[in-house]
Structures are given as structure tokens and as C-alpha cells.
Amino acid sequence: MKISGKFVLLKKMNLSDADFIYNLRKKKDISLYLHNPPKSLSFQKKWMMNNIKDKKTQDFMIIKKSNNRKIGTIALNKITKSNAEWGRWISKGNIVENIESVIILLDYGFNNLRLRNIYSLTNNMNTRVVNFHKNTTALFKRTRKSFFLINNKRFDAVEYSFNKKRFNLFKKKFKVMTESIL
């Protein structure tokens, strides 16, 4: 499955993406805010095989359309009839590509899966992503104390949520932004 935007497309993750994801997660500046990266490529593949089988998870690769290169990952997980969590968002794209990857994923969740609520949980120390959420139309829900365990340390999670109305406002804001810079 592929979902296409103007600058990026999302394609369902498969085992051939394991090396890219493993190397992306190993980068020190990225892994600071993530659950511990897999110890080896074989652990990464095992994790991916479990996710591919899981009906409540949909993992995607973010592909830059101009050169067809992988630039990141993004996912919906914990999918129910009405809710899902979006996350596993790691991208080396520029700001427009990164924002569009989120919009494509949320659009898919609201319009194809017919979800009513899509939320995210971000390590509170990951200020770039927390600030991203603050600058969208997502609703701040709460801070979950000691939610993440990373390198034997506890970190709070900041929860933001979109419903379809808030998402459509965000999508409109993004369209205005891209029209003004292109």
C-alpha cells in the first residue's frame, strides 16, 4: 500500500526496510528520545515481523518523491474502532516533508480507517517534537509521569490529540504554509 502526497509518500513497511530503520534508530541524536534501539539487525527484523502481523499496527516508510529515497518512518498503532496512537516518527526530511508525512498519516487514519481520535505520546525531553505539537492544532491532553524507560531512566510523556476537526485545521494551515514557500 502507498499513500501519496505532494512531496512524500508513505509505503507499508516490509522486511526489506529493516537495515534502513536499524541504522536510523542507532544514530545517537535520534536514539536519545526513543526506546532502546535493537541490539542487532536480526532483533530489528524480529520486531518488524511481529508488527507486520499485528492488525492493530500500521508502520510506514516515508519516501521522498523527488528521488524515491527513504527518509524515515511513521506509524499508527494501538488501533481500535475509533482511536489510534501515531508515532515511531523518525524523519531525515526537511520541514515540509516531515509535516506532510504526518498529514498523510492522519488523513489516512481519519478518512480511510474512520478514526475519531489520533493521539501521540512524546518524550518530554524531545523539545523539537514537543514544539512541533505545540505549533499544530493538536490539543494538549496531559503529561504522563515516568512513562518512558530509556537507558534505565524514566521520562515523562507529553500527550497531544487530534480529532478530525482539529486535523482539518492543521491540514489547511500546512497548505497555506507550502503555498507561501513554493
Side-chain angles (χ1 to χ4, degrees), residues 135-146:
N135 288 303
T136 70
T137 56
L139 177 65
F140 171 77
K141 298 293 264 189
R142 62 185 163 160
T143 298
R144 295 186 185 192
K145 297 291 182 189
S146 299

Side-chain angles (χ1 to χ4, degrees), residues 84-142:
E85 176 184 352
W86 77 271
R88 299 187 191 130
W89 184 42
I90 307 169
S91 182
K92 301 184 302 180
N94 64 41
I95 189 158
V96 172
E97 294 160 343
N98 294 341
I99 294 171
E100 188 179 53
S101 70
V102 173
I103 287 174
I104 294 169
L105 183 77
L106 296 178
D107 191 72
Y108 172 74
F110 286 118
N111 294 312
N112 292 69
L113 300 179
R114 306 225 184 275
L115 299 172
R116 283 186 260 137
N117 180 59
I118 302 174
Y119 65 95
S120 65
L121 296 166
T122 304
N123 181 327
N124 70 315
M125 300 304 289
N126 191 347
T127 54
R128 288 178 78 194
V129 177
V130 171
N131 286 334
F132 166 80
H133 290 299
K134 287 179 181 177
N135 288 303
T136 70
T137 56
L139 177 65
F140 171 77
K141 298 293 264 189
R142 62 185 163 160

